[in-house]
Amino acid sequence: FKRNYECSLSDYITEFRLERTKQLLMETELPVSEIAGVVGFSNLNYLYTLFKKKFGMTPSEYRNLH
């Protein structure tokens, strides 16, 4: 997997979940806590930490800008 995608399987899944989070923030009115569960994050704080690290803002801030 790592040879083909240049990242680990867990990094690939995390990236997919974060991108799906962005999509749901833009396309739905679901609360961030519900989106976290939909995309597979059992810990809301962990989602906030990863999202802010990757995109430079919290999911709520992202939704408000888009």
Side-chain angles (χ1 to χ4, degrees), residues 49-63:
T49 299
L50 290 177
F51 197 94
K52 187 162 187 171
K53 183 178 178 183
K54 175 140 181 86
F55 303 114
M57 64 187 80
T58 66
S60 300
E61 291 169 338
Y62 182 86
R63 174 177 268 163

Side-chain angles (χ1 to χ4, degrees), residues 4 8-9 12 17 19-23 29 31 33 35 37-38 41 43 45 48 51 53 59-61 63 66:
N4 291 332
S8 69
L9 179 58
Y12 181 87
R17 288 176 173 165
E19 290 299 325
R20 183 69 176 133
T21 298
K22 275 179 36 178
Q23 183 182 18
E29 294 296 321
S33 58
I35 290 173
V38 168
F41 286 104
N43 183 320
N45 289 332
Y48 268 84
F51 197 94
K53 183 178 178 183
S60 300
E61 291 169 338
R63 174 177 268 163
H66 295 90

Side-chain angles (χ1 to χ4, degrees), residues 8-35:
S8 69
L9 179 58
S10 62
D11 288 345
Y12 181 87
I13 291 169
T14 298
E15 181 71 26
F16 179 85
R17 288 176 173 165
L18 289 172
E19 290 299 325
R20 183 69 176 133
T21 298
K22 275 179 36 178
Q23 183 182 18
L24 290 171
L25 287 168
M26 290 186 292
E27 296 176 358
T28 73
E29 294 296 321
L30 292 172
V32 177
S33 58
E34 196 168 327
I35 290 173

